[in-house]
Amino acid sequence: MARFLITAMPFTGHVLQLSAVAEALVERGHEVRFYTGSAFARQVESAGARFIPWREAPDFDETDVAATFPRLRGSRGLGQIVRTLEELFLGTSPGQLRDLQAEWYREPWDVLVGDEASLGPAFAAERTRCAWATVCALPLGLPSDEGPPHGLGLRPGQDAWSRSRDEWMRRLSPIAMRPVAGRLARVRSDAGLGPSPARFDEAAFSRQLILATGVPALDHERTDRPSHLHFVGRLAPSTPIGRTLPEWWTDLEGRRVVHVTQGTQNVDPRDLLQPALAALADDDVLVVATSGLADGEEPPLPLPRNARVSSFVPHDALLPHAEAVITNGGWGGVLAALSHGIPLLVAGGDLDKPEVAARVAQAGAGIDLRGARPSPRTVGRAYRALTTDASYRATAERIAAELAAAGGAARAAELLEDLAARRREPTRTGTAGA
């Protein structure tokens, strides 16, 4: 038996994926603790792990992040990305480090496992010299010498001009991120850690083991990935905390179903719900939409007769009915759709969403709507292209097979066991090699 401590930024998509890993480790007889926000105690415990709450780290509500971090209020686009990195990625890391250090001295672990949105695990591994693995709850953002910098939503260049563009953008990226890199240096200093040669975009990735969700086809098929990186497909817990199905659930039977999801961040229904519902209002389909709003809160827009809207619908119950998914590009939802062989329309407008849209389109499993707020005409044309061109579904089904073959949470647990076997004797002092 090995002892694992898993950490995740308190967002549903992150916690669900990391709780799948926790569940697999518990099933294999290991002791697992899980450090995240207080809203996810039940989900953690349902996976069989011991819940460790954020204490020194500023806990927050994912449906109202700006209540805890006012600088994020109303921000979109590049400004939202930079402020999110500063407030969540960097701003919470000193508190995470203090929490993790306290837990380490109370009861050490054999392996520390963190998502790539949390710097606390990187700092704690450095401080304690423990074994450390990164599980990517987002599309893999590890820097590469191929293609454009991560996060821009651009496809890798295919000719001399566009490859030259990619190279220049890679050179300019560290300059553009210099203010964030400067804050990282200050956070490290305040935490009592020395200077690090790791660039900002490398800091949260372990040099011992990286478990990436997805498959190479969704990574632009890059060839320079390190040997300690393993793609593990989709991570989905068998014990998600469920909610009762909507009363209209039986309406799905015998109908062509299109699923529309606004995600959980930037949930203005005018962005995607409204144009998608308008585009499909006259089609012979049942449109099942999730709003991302709080339970019981209705989106302030008229609903066509063929639409059903809920704040939440369990993906694995809904997707077997769906012929297409229209999404804002949340990575967990995209992987869920592709694991069922369903092609997608992706309206990725902020954070990692443009990157997801570009990867789905590059793979041939869907269409990039190129923006968070497409017009009804754009959605309608793309939907008809998606459902009349058989290549999209064929590619989605091929990726579904690749996701299944990658092994999911069981494979992730095997790789973490291997790391634990190599590093069963952590020490409590010194600086780390991660």
Side-chain angles (χ1 to χ4, degrees):
M1 183 187 76
R3 300 165 297 176
F4 293 89
L5 191 140
I6 296 177
T7 82
M9 189 65 74
F11 289 107
T12 297
H14 292 239
V15 173
L16 285 177
Q17 293 183 79
L18 273 290
S19 69
V21 177
E23 183 179 25
L25 288 168
V26 169
E27 289 176 350
R28 298 167 79 93
H30 301 292
E31 176 189 296
V32 182
R33 286 168 280 171
F34 200 121
Y35 169 68
T36 191
S38 58
F40 297 98
R42 286 182 60 216
Q43 178 61 51
V44 167
E45 291 165 356
S46 74
R50 186 172 7 134
F51 175 65
I52 308 296
W54 280 27
R55 294 188 175 95
E56 293 288 330
D59 201 355
F60 60 89
D61 178 356
E62 68 172 326
T63 65
D64 189 11
V65 176
T68 305
F69 305 102
R71 288 186 66 215
L72 297 180
R73 193 176 306 279
S75 63
R76 301 291 291 262
L78 181 60
Q80 183 181 34
I81 293 172
V82 172
R83 293 187 185 104
T84 298
L85 291 174
E86 291 180 339
E87 297 293 318
L88 295 181
F89 189 83
L90 291 168
T92 66
S93 58
Q96 291 180 49
L97 174 60
R98 291 192 293 272
D99 282 341
L100 291 169
Q101 277 189 286
E103 187 65 18
W104 167 264
Y105 284 109
R106 190 184 69 80
E107 184 181 349
W109 51 78
D110 297 309
V111 178
L112 179 61
V113 183
D115 67 342
E116 80 279 40
S118 306
L119 261 183
F123 291 167
E126 185 170 350
R127 180 64 58 79
T128 63
R129 294 186 61 85
C130 70
W132 166 44
T134 303
V135 175
C136 300
L138 299 171
L140 182 63
L142 192 66
S144 171
D145 290 331
E146 300 174 3
H150 174 77
L152 298 179
L154 297 175
R155 302 186 193 184
Q158 301 298 311
D159 55 33
W161 181 90
S162 55
R163 285 193 290 270
S164 177
R165 173 209 65 182
D166 293 349
E167 181 180 356
W168 277 106
M169 295 183 80
R170 291 196 302 270
R171 292 181 182 182
L172 292 171
S173 181
I175 299 173
M177 296 302 292
R178 192 172 288 165
V180 181
R183 181 162 181 185
L184 172 60
R186 294 192 295 274
V187 167
R188 288 183 59 84
S189 177
D190 292 344
L193 300 170
S196 170
R199 289 168 26 186
F200 173 78
D201 52 0
E202 299 170 323
F205 292 99
S206 168
R207 295 182 186 175
Q208 300 168 26
L209 179 63
I210 301 172
L211 305 177
T213 48
V215 290
L218 297 171
D219 188 43
H220 296 311
E221 302 278 7
R222 300 185 196 271
T223 62
D224 64 344
R225 293 314 197 187
S227 61
H228 64 279
L229 166 69
H230 301 267
F231 284 93
V232 294
R234 181 190 176 208
L235 299 175
S238 65
T239 55
I241 294 299
R243 309 180 197 185
T244 58
L245 295 175
E247 60 183 15
W248 45 258
W249 192 255
T250 55
D251 294 350
L252 275 62
E253 297 301 327
R255 298 293 302 275
R256 294 169 55 212
V257 174
V258 177
H259 176 40
V260 181
T261 174
Q262 186 73 61
T264 57
Q265 300 295 310
N266 296 337
V267 291
D268 186 338
R270 294 172 298 179
D271 285 350
L272 184 58
L273 259 62
Q274 188 173 54
L277 294 177
L280 301 178
D282 296 325
D283 282 54
D284 183 22
V285 296
L286 185 70
V287 182
V288 177
T290 51
S291 66
L293 301 173
D295 285 342
E297 186 177 353
E298 296 292 333
L301 50 86
L303 298 181
R305 292 181 60 185
N306 68 339
R308 307 290 184 271
V309 178
S310 178
S311 60
F312 168 86
V313 173
H315 272 136
D316 286 316
L318 173 63
L319 290 174
H321 299 273
E323 70 168 13
V325 170
I326 305 174
T327 174
N328 73 326
W331 185 236
V334 165
L335 292 182
L338 290 174
S339 72
H340 286 81
I342 302 171
L344 306 108
L345 304 181
V346 188
D350 50 65
L351 300 176
D352 63 307
K353 310 302 190 297
E355 187 71 26
V356 174
R359 294 184 184 206
V360 169
Q362 176 77 13
I367 297 173
D368 183 354
L369 295 176
R370 300 189 180 279
R373 187 175 285 187
S375 69
R377 184 178 184 183
T378 296
V379 174
R381 284 182 171 179
Y383 168 73
R384 284 155 186 78
L386 190 79
T387 52
T388 56
D389 185 341
S391 69
Y392 291 111
R393 177 165 289 276
T395 300
E397 291 174 347
R398 174 177 59 79
I399 291 177
E402 293 174 3
L403 288 167
R411 177 57 178 158
E414 290 176 2
L415 291 163
L416 289 167
E417 284 177 334
D418 291 343
L419 178 60
R422 299 195 302 267
R423 294 284 301 273
R424 285 297 293 272
E425 296 299 330
T427 56
R428 295 192 180 200
T429 58
T431 57

